[in-house]
Protein backbone atom coordinates (compact mmCIF):
# COMPACT_ATOMS: atom_id res chain seq x y z
CA UNK A 1 0.00 0.00 0.00
CA UNK A 2 1.36 3.38 -0.94
CA UNK A 3 2.50 6.17 1.36
CA UNK A 4 1.83 9.87 0.89
CA UNK A 5 3.38 12.87 2.64
CA UNK A 6 2.73 16.54 1.93
CA UNK A 7 3.92 19.81 3.42
CA UNK A 8 3.26 23.49 2.83
CA UNK A 9 5.15 26.39 4.36
CA UNK A 10 7.99 28.85 3.90
CA UNK A 11 10.57 26.73 5.72
CA UNK A 12 9.90 23.34 4.15
CA UNK A 13 12.79 21.36 2.85
CA UNK A 14 12.34 18.53 0.39
CA UNK A 15 14.66 16.41 2.52
CA UNK A 16 12.35 16.79 5.54
CA UNK A 17 9.51 15.40 3.47
CA UNK A 18 11.66 12.43 2.52
CA UNK A 19 12.39 11.83 6.22
CA UNK A 20 8.64 11.52 6.71
CA UNK A 21 8.29 9.29 3.66
CA UNK A 22 10.84 6.90 5.18
CA UNK A 23 8.53 6.49 8.17
CA UNK A 24 5.98 4.99 5.75
CA UNK A 25 8.40 2.54 4.11
CA UNK A 26 7.02 -0.33 6.20
CA UNK A 27 3.84 -0.23 4.07
CA UNK A 28 5.76 -1.66 1.11
CA UNK A 29 6.49 -0.01 -2.23
CA UNK A 30 8.35 -0.42 -5.50
CA UNK A 31 9.32 3.16 -6.33
CA UNK A 32 9.19 6.63 -4.86
CA UNK A 33 8.97 10.22 -5.95
CA UNK A 34 8.65 13.81 -4.88
CA UNK A 35 7.37 17.05 -6.38
CA UNK A 36 8.33 20.35 -4.81
CA UNK A 37 8.15 24.04 -5.58
CA UNK A 38 11.71 25.32 -5.29
CA UNK A 39 13.05 28.67 -4.10
CA UNK A 40 12.61 30.05 -7.65
CA UNK A 41 8.96 28.99 -7.71
CA UNK A 42 9.68 26.20 -10.19
CA UNK A 43 7.91 22.85 -9.88
CA UNK A 44 10.49 20.05 -9.66
CA UNK A 45 9.75 16.33 -9.92
CA UNK A 46 12.21 13.58 -9.05
CA UNK A 47 11.37 9.84 -9.14
CA UNK A 48 13.36 6.68 -8.56
CA UNK A 49 12.86 2.92 -8.48
CA UNK A 50 13.61 1.23 -5.18
CA UNK A 51 14.38 2.69 -1.79
CA UNK A 52 13.57 6.19 -0.62
CA UNK A 53 17.34 6.59 -0.09
CA UNK A 54 17.79 6.34 -3.86
CA UNK A 55 15.23 9.08 -4.31
CA UNK A 56 17.04 11.18 -1.70
CA UNK A 57 20.33 10.76 -3.57
CA UNK A 58 18.64 11.73 -6.84
CA UNK A 59 17.13 14.87 -5.27
CA UNK A 60 20.52 15.91 -3.87
CA UNK A 61 22.17 15.37 -7.24
CA UNK A 62 19.56 17.12 -9.39
CA UNK A 63 18.67 19.91 -6.96
CA UNK A 64 21.45 20.66 -4.45
CA UNK A 65 19.35 23.60 -3.23
CA UNK A 66 16.22 21.70 -2.27
CA UNK A 67 14.48 24.32 -0.20
CA UNK A 68 10.79 24.18 -0.91
CA UNK A 69 7.57 26.12 -0.43
CA UNK A 70 5.41 23.04 -0.91
CA UNK A 71 6.11 19.35 -1.39
CA UNK A 72 4.30 16.09 -2.01
CA UNK A 73 5.99 12.70 -1.88
CA UNK A 74 4.84 9.16 -2.57
CA UNK A 75 5.87 5.55 -2.28
CA UNK A 76 4.15 3.54 -5.01
CA UNK A 77 2.60 0.12 -4.98
CA UNK A 78 2.00 -0.38 -8.70
CA UNK A 79 -1.42 -1.49 -9.88
CA UNK A 80 -1.41 -0.05 -13.42
CA UNK A 81 1.88 0.03 -15.27
CA UNK A 82 5.21 -1.57 -14.48
CA UNK A 83 7.15 -0.51 -11.40
CA UNK A 84 9.63 1.75 -13.16
CA UNK A 85 10.73 5.36 -12.77
CA UNK A 86 8.49 6.55 -15.60
CA UNK A 87 5.39 5.19 -13.89
CA UNK A 88 6.38 6.36 -10.40
CA UNK A 89 4.41 9.19 -8.86
CA UNK A 90 4.15 12.19 -8.83
CA UNK A 91 2.73 12.52 -12.31
CA UNK A 92 3.10 15.94 -13.81
CA UNK A 93 1.12 17.83 -16.43
CA UNK A 94 2.01 21.50 -16.77
CA UNK A 95 2.00 22.95 -13.28
CA UNK A 96 -0.01 20.06 -11.85
CA UNK A 97 1.68 17.26 -9.91
CA UNK A 98 -0.37 14.37 -8.53
CA UNK A 99 0.25 11.51 -6.13
CA UNK A 100 -2.47 8.95 -5.64
CA UNK A 101 -3.40 5.90 -3.62
CA UNK A 102 -5.94 3.67 -5.31
CA UNK A 103 -7.32 2.86 -8.72
CA UNK A 104 -9.13 5.05 -11.25
CA UNK A 105 -11.60 2.51 -12.61
CA UNK A 106 -12.59 4.56 -15.66
CA UNK A 107 -9.08 5.62 -16.66
CA UNK A 108 -9.30 4.02 -20.12
CA UNK A 109 -12.40 6.05 -20.92
CA UNK A 110 -10.70 9.17 -19.59
CA UNK A 111 -7.60 8.51 -21.68
CA UNK A 112 -9.83 8.25 -24.75
CA UNK A 113 -11.57 11.49 -23.82
CA UNK A 114 -8.21 13.24 -23.39
CA UNK A 115 -6.73 11.71 -26.56
CA UNK A 116 -9.68 13.08 -28.54
CA UNK A 117 -8.60 16.53 -27.32
CA UNK A 118 -5.03 15.96 -28.50
CA UNK A 119 -3.56 15.22 -25.07
CA UNK A 120 -0.62 12.77 -25.06
CA UNK A 121 0.47 10.32 -22.35
CA UNK A 122 3.88 9.60 -20.87
CA UNK A 123 3.04 6.72 -18.52
CA UNK A 124 1.03 3.50 -18.37
CA UNK A 125 -0.70 4.47 -15.13
CA UNK A 126 -4.28 5.26 -14.29
CA UNK A 127 -3.05 8.09 -12.05
CA UNK A 128 -1.61 10.19 -14.88
CA UNK A 129 -5.13 10.87 -16.11
CA UNK A 130 -5.78 12.92 -12.94
CA UNK A 131 -2.91 15.31 -13.66
CA UNK A 132 -3.82 15.53 -17.34
CA UNK A 133 -7.47 16.28 -16.61
CA UNK A 134 -6.63 18.98 -14.07
CA UNK A 135 -4.13 20.57 -16.43
CA UNK A 136 -6.69 20.45 -19.23
CA UNK A 137 -9.20 22.41 -17.14
CA UNK A 138 -6.55 24.91 -16.01
CA UNK A 139 -5.67 25.45 -19.67
CA UNK A 140 -9.35 26.10 -20.33
CA UNK A 141 -9.14 28.93 -17.78
CA UNK A 142 -10.79 27.37 -14.74
CA UNK A 143 -9.42 28.52 -11.37
CA UNK A 144 -7.42 25.77 -9.59
CA UNK A 145 -10.18 24.87 -7.14
CA UNK A 146 -12.73 24.50 -9.93
CA UNK A 147 -10.28 22.58 -12.11
CA UNK A 148 -9.74 20.14 -9.23
CA UNK A 149 -13.47 19.80 -8.59
CA UNK A 150 -14.21 19.21 -12.28
CA UNK A 151 -11.44 16.62 -12.44
CA UNK A 152 -12.62 14.74 -9.35
CA UNK A 153 -16.19 14.73 -10.66
CA UNK A 154 -15.01 12.70 -13.67
CA UNK A 155 -13.16 10.04 -11.69
CA UNK A 156 -14.65 6.66 -10.78
CA UNK A 157 -12.89 4.44 -8.30
CA UNK A 158 -10.71 5.21 -5.34
N1 LIG B 1 -3.02 3.02 -9.45
C1 LIG B 1 -1.81 3.61 -8.95
C2 LIG B 1 -0.62 3.19 -9.81
O1 LIG B 1 -0.52 2.07 -10.20
C3 LIG B 1 -1.68 3.20 -7.52
C4 LIG B 1 -0.43 3.64 -6.86
C5 LIG B 1 -0.43 3.37 -5.37
O2 LIG B 1 -1.51 3.25 -4.74
O3 LIG B 1 0.68 3.31 -4.84
O4 LIG B 1 0.22 3.97 -10.10
Amino acid sequence: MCGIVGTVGPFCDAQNVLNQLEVLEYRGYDSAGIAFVDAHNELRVVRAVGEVQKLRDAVFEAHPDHKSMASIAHTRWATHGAPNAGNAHPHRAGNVAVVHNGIIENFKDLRGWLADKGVGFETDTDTETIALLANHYLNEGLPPRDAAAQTIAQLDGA
Side-chain angles (χ1 to χ4, degrees):
M1 188 182 293
C2 86
I4 291 175
V5 178
T7 64
V8 178
F11 302 114
C12 293
D13 182 321
Q15 298 296 336
N16 292 344
V17 179
L18 296 179
N19 292 343
Q20 300 306 312
L21 197 62
E22 278 176 343
V23 174
L24 300 177
E25 284 188 297
Y26 74 92
R27 295 160 67 91
Y29 63 101
D30 50 63
S31 54
I34 184 169
F36 63 97
V37 180
D38 72 11
H40 307 290
N41 214 27
E42 294 290 330
L43 179 61
R44 306 294 185 186
V45 178
V46 182
R47 302 177 292 180
V49 173
E51 299 158 14
V52 172
Q53 182 59 46
K54 288 187 180 157
L55 175 63
R56 189 187 293 280
D57 293 345
V59 170
F60 265 121
E61 190 179 324
H63 306 291
D65 176 13
H66 38 75
K67 291 279 178 263
S68 164
M69 300 294 288
S71 307
I72 51 174
H74 183 265
T75 48
R76 179 180 186 228
W77 186 290
T79 65
H80 293 63
N84 57 38
N87 288 332
H89 303 205
H91 295 297
R92 178 178 186 174
N95 282 328
V96 177
V98 169
V99 298
H100 165 227
N101 174 24
I103 292 172
I104 307 302
E105 305 282 1
N106 61 334
F107 85 101
K108 286 186 180 160
D109 291 342
L110 294 173
R111 280 172 82 107
W113 189 86
L114 286 160
D116 286 346
K117 293 177 169 23
V119 175
F121 308 92
E122 294 182 357
T123 84
D124 304 314
T125 67
D126 51 340
T127 302
E128 184 186 22
T129 54
I130 306 173
L132 292 170
L133 281 171
N135 189 50
H136 166 76
Y137 288 119
L138 288 173
N139 287 341
E140 285 205 325
L142 266 61
R145 188 181 294 263
D146 293 346
Q150 186 66 40
T151 297
I152 290 166
Q154 277 182 264
L155 305 176
D156 291 337

